[in-house]
Amino acid sequence: MSKVQLADGVYWVGAIDWNIRNFHGYSTRLGTTYNAYLIIDEKITLIDTVKAPFYEQMRDRIKEIVALEDIDYVVSNHVEMDHSGSLPTVMQEAKKAKLITLEKFGESGLGKTFHTDWPLSPVKEGSELNLGKRKLVFIPTPMLHWPDSMCSYLVEDNILFSMDAFGQHLATSHRFDDEVGLDAIMPEATKYYANILMPFSDLIVKAVEKLGGLKIDTIAPSHGIIWRSHIDTIVKAYASWGKGENKQKVLVIYDTMWKSTEKMAHALAQGITDAEVDVKLYNLTESDKSDIIKEVLDARAILIGSPTLNNGMFPTVAGFLCYLKGLKPKGKLGAAFGSHGWAGGAVKAIEQELSQAGIEVVDCGLSFKFVPDKDEIKKCADFGKTIASRIK
Ligand code: FEO
């Protein structure tokens, strides 16, 4: 097994999960990696572990370099089990290892997850761990992605072990950005940010500012490729996403019962296209919600359509809006449309959800009975032009 080095004595010892297709509801069609790192110095340090079923992959990579019982420190940057799942086995094998975690949230998270008496060494903002010739400094990044999350910074090599931040769900045979290429990486980095980190955008802005004070030659996240050549690109993208910078782009997202709402959706999209603004259209039965959320990240307006079913929304639309609301998108305009039979209800319900998601709702009056006629289709197209002109 070939060894992957980030710097002299610093190794990637993680695992590649080629086949995962669903990561707690997020579609991972390109798989993922669980990145763990090993630092060989006077004190031998393992940064994070991997998801439990992948322990043997990690163990075999470590054993190529050092025996597990020689590990002095295990740093748990994050309690979530895709990174801590192998801790019970590692702590059994690495008998003398001290477990480093963020004070309070890391301590309680590990305690409540594993219910053991591991020797925990809690750290806080700026705590240093002397490894011999090098030292690690710990930087809490709460809520990126859990309260216990922190980054570890290897001072002498300017390596930031950034945890979930700057990651991507992307399984590849190469480990570094310049080996894989931005065209393959950025769509996955975008989707990852949109689905995992978007609710914490304000904290991202603060974290990027905080990390801006460090000299960074390598960003080693916990998923996907390691950044060593395109650090500026990913840091600038995070700064932009964190601020909620949007493009002139509208999404038309809908479901349909007897194609009436679908006709409205297509007319809206045509109006937007005629006004020369980018539009993307998604039927919620046919599309994956985490793919749509990737597009939501930088869209300026979101139009949501649903037929009325039992006085409310279609379940697919309700599910999507529930997911969207939790992600707290920034700086968006929204509108609702749909067809109904004898009584409506879906449009009002969608507007309420959009409003609760922090989206500025534009009243478009597009709630029509049964099958929309020519005039009603024209109203949809006209509103498409109106919303396009609002965002130009
Ligand atoms: Fe990759 Fe929040 O765990």
Side-chain angles (χ1 to χ4, degrees):
M1 196 182 279
S2 57
K3 296 171 197 161
V4 180
Q5 280 209 79
L6 285 70
D8 193 26
V10 183
Y11 299 88
W12 174 82
V13 290
I16 305 173
D17 187 351
W18 293 99
N19 289 319
I20 188 170
R21 292 294 176 267
N22 186 315
F23 189 96
H24 57 51
Y26 173 141
S27 70
T28 47
R29 278 190 289 272
L30 300 175
T32 193
T33 70
Y34 312 109
N35 296 337
Y37 301 94
L38 188 69
I39 304 169
I40 305 297
D41 205 312
E42 288 162 30
K43 296 289 184 187
I44 295 172
T45 305
L46 177 66
I47 310 249
D48 284 306
T49 71
V50 296
K51 198 170 164 183
F54 294 83
Y55 168 72
E56 287 177 6
Q57 252 199 68
M58 179 185 70
R59 178 204 61 195
D60 291 349
R61 291 185 205 284
I62 294 172
K63 279 170 73 177
E64 293 274 321
I65 303 160
V66 74
L68 264 90
E69 52 266 35
D70 291 338
I71 293 174
D72 296 285
Y73 299 118
V74 177
V75 175
S76 171
N77 275 334
H78 181 21
V79 173
E80 194 164 10
M81 278 187 273
D82 46 336
H83 311 295
S84 68
S86 292
L87 269 180
T89 329
V90 166
M91 295 308 288
Q92 227 169 21
E93 303 263 330
K95 292 194 187 334
K96 66 174 177 179
K98 283 188 179 154
L99 182 54
I100 315 281
T101 186
L102 186 62
E103 66 173 4
K104 200 167 137 194
F105 291 117
E107 289 175 281
S108 65
L110 289 173
K112 286 285 180 192
T113 303
F114 296 106
H115 309 285
T116 71
D117 56 358
W118 294 329
L120 294 182
S121 300
V123 293
K124 56 187 179 185
E125 175 86 51
S127 292
E128 295 183 357
L129 183 66
N130 197 334
L131 307 182
K133 294 186 182 65
R134 292 177 274 209
K135 70 177 174 195
L136 275 172
V137 177
F138 301 102
I139 306 159
T141 49
M143 298 316 296
L144 308 179
H145 150 237
W146 279 8
D148 55 271
S149 297
M150 64 175 183
C151 297
S152 302
Y153 178 59
L154 189 60
V155 177
E156 287 71 13
D157 293 292
N158 305 320
I159 300 175
L160 181 73
F161 300 99
S162 63
M163 220 317 92
D164 279 336
F166 307 112
Q168 335 88 49
H169 285 312
L170 178 61
T172 53
S173 54
H174 297 289
R175 301 273 62 81
F176 294 98
D177 55 353
D178 43 84
E179 297 170 325
V180 176
L182 285 178
D183 287 352
I185 302 164
M186 284 312 289
E188 300 314 313
T190 309
K191 182 174 173 181
Y192 185 94
Y193 182 96
N195 282 276
I196 306 276
L197 297 174
M198 186 156 51
F200 314 114
S201 288
D202 291 342
L203 297 170
I204 290 281
V205 172
K206 284 185 191 147
V208 167
E209 281 169 11
K210 187 151 107 174
L211 299 175
L214 302 175
K215 178 168 173 17
I216 297 174
D217 292 332
T218 307
I219 296 178
S222 292
H223 298 287
I225 62 86
I226 298 161
W227 303 92
R228 67 180 177 189
S229 296
H230 299 288
I231 290 173
D232 259 17
T233 304
I234 190 64
V235 171
K236 278 184 185 150
Y238 264 58
S240 168
W241 295 330
K243 283 185 231 153
E245 288 176 355
N246 293 316
K247 291 182 180 154
Q248 277 184 20
K249 180 172 93 176
V250 185
L251 304 184
V252 180
I253 303 163
Y254 70 98
D255 211 331
T256 195
M257 194 186 300
W258 294 108
K259 306 288 182 193
S260 293
T261 303
E262 185 161 71
K263 283 186 179 121
M264 297 172 73
H266 281 281
L268 282 160
Q270 189 58 54
I272 297 160
T273 304
D274 291 345
E276 298 183 341
V277 163
D278 280 349
V279 60
K280 291 191 175 178
L281 181 141
Y282 296 97
N283 178 320
L284 283 164
T285 293
E286 308 300 334
S287 303
D288 173 79
K289 70 178 185 310
S290 51
D291 288 331
I292 301 175
I293 290 296
K294 172 177 165 244
E295 297 297 331
V296 166
L297 180 63
D298 63 1
R300 177 73 179 97
I302 304 166
L303 314 182
I304 307 282
S306 173
T308 293
L309 177 71
N310 302 328
N311 302 113
M313 292 176 260
F314 233 45
T316 48
V317 179
F320 177 77
L321 288 172
C322 173
Y323 188 53
L324 179 74
K325 204 161 58 172
L327 292 169
K328 302 188 179 81
K330 272 185 169 181
K332 316 280 182 209
L333 291 176
F337 64 95
S339 83
H340 57 271
W342 49 103
V347 166
K348 271 271 163 294
I350 293 168
E351 286 175 347
Q352 274 172 10
E353 291 290 295
L354 287 173
S355 188
Q356 282 175 19
I359 293 171
E360 182 187 340
V361 176
V362 181
D363 181 8
C364 61
L366 300 179
S367 180
F368 300 136
K369 273 201 168 183
F370 293 101
V371 179
D373 62 20
K374 216 170 138 191
D375 285 347
E376 288 165 337
I377 288 296
K378 184 173 179 307
K379 282 181 185 164
C380 292
D382 287 346
F383 182 70
K385 287 176 193 150
T386 302
I387 200 81
S389 68
R390 279 279 300 263
I391 68 166
K392 268 188 171 177

